[in-house]
Amino acid sequence: MAKQALLQRELKREKLAAKFAQKYADLKATANDAKRSDEERDAARLALQKLPRNANPTRQRNRCEITGRPRGTFAYFGLARAKVREMAFAGEIPGVTKASW
């Protein structure tokens, strides 16, 4: 099980990213719009830099829903590899069976 502080930090990042999502998208679109003047694009880039670091969605980490493990997480299931294996063997994930040949 992951430390509670790390899980709480991740939740804080999710909330902050959700709060600034619209502003982040608008500034990003302005900064990448070739039709805008250079001054406008530079101002948008500076505004992006002034946003909190954790407002950037790339700072979020995929974690296992059960254990909170940050590595070896299957995005499709939202679980760590060990939990996917356990649950698949127990038949708790529909449509997933043990391979045999």
Side-chain angles (χ1 to χ4, degrees):
M1 190 70 185
K3 288 184 178 180
Q4 287 301 311
L6 298 178
L7 296 176
Q8 293 303 317
R9 185 185 307 161
E10 204 61 44
L11 287 174
K12 188 177 174 183
R13 283 184 181 144
E14 286 177 20
K15 288 178 187 174
L16 202 58
K19 179 180 175 183
F20 286 99
Q22 186 61 43
K23 187 172 186 177
Y24 186 84
D26 292 342
L27 289 172
K28 195 81 167 158
T30 303
N32 292 333
D33 189 5
K35 295 178 183 176
R36 303 273 181 136
S37 68
D38 288 340
E39 291 81 21
E40 283 181 305
R41 294 173 70 190
D42 288 341
R45 287 190 191 105
L46 286 174
L48 271 172
Q49 288 178 358
K50 289 184 180 180
L51 289 178
R53 282 188 180 200
N54 288 333
N56 192 337
T58 58
R59 303 258 307 181
Q60 295 175 9
R61 180 89 182 180
N62 289 336
R63 287 185 174 270
C64 177
E65 292 292 323
I66 297 171
T67 62
R69 181 180 165 84
R71 295 173 183 233
T73 304
F74 284 75
Y76 186 79
F77 300 112
L79 300 171
R81 57 187 170 73
K83 283 295 175 186
V84 169
R85 185 173 188 271
E86 262 179 36
M87 292 176 77
F89 286 165
E92 296 172 1
I93 303 176
V96 178
T97 57
K98 184 173 188 272
S100 60
W101 59 90

